[in-house]
Amino acid sequence: MAKKTTYNDILAKSHEELSQLEVELAAKRFSLRVQHAVGQLENTADIRKTRRELARVKMAIRNKIEQ
């Protein structure tokens, strides 16, 4: 099982890295939602984990812009 990415790890990344990570997580979230709708998703907790990590990334981007 992969280690959970902490908010401090996310804050350490540059704005460009965060933007790229946001795009990747949004695509992953969409893919998981489609798999769930079709009935191919085995671990539904992945949707929740991805959604929360995406929220952390968006919050870090917002904080970097405000500073």
Side-chain angles (χ1 to χ4, degrees):
M1 183 172 177
K3 181 184 169 204
K4 179 181 164 188
T5 305
T6 64
Y7 185 68
N8 288 331
D9 294 339
I10 293 172
L11 276 178
K13 297 184 181 209
S14 69
H15 184 69
E16 292 79 23
E17 289 175 321
L18 289 175
S19 296
Q20 180 63 33
L21 186 57
E22 180 183 11
V23 170
E24 291 172 5
L25 287 172
K28 180 179 178 183
R29 180 175 179 239
F30 177 77
S31 172
L32 290 172
R33 288 174 54 206
V34 169
Q35 287 177 12
H36 181 64
V38 175
Q40 294 178 346
L41 187 63
E42 293 181 15
N43 188 1
T44 57
D46 288 341
I47 297 171
R48 185 177 188 177
K49 291 174 187 175
T50 303
R51 185 184 72 225
R52 288 182 176 186
E53 189 169 353
L54 180 59
R56 284 186 197 98
V57 169
K58 286 183 176 185
M59 184 169 42
I61 290 172
R62 237 183 353 259
N63 288 338
K64 284 190 179 277
I65 290 173
E66 291 175 1
Q67 291 177 352

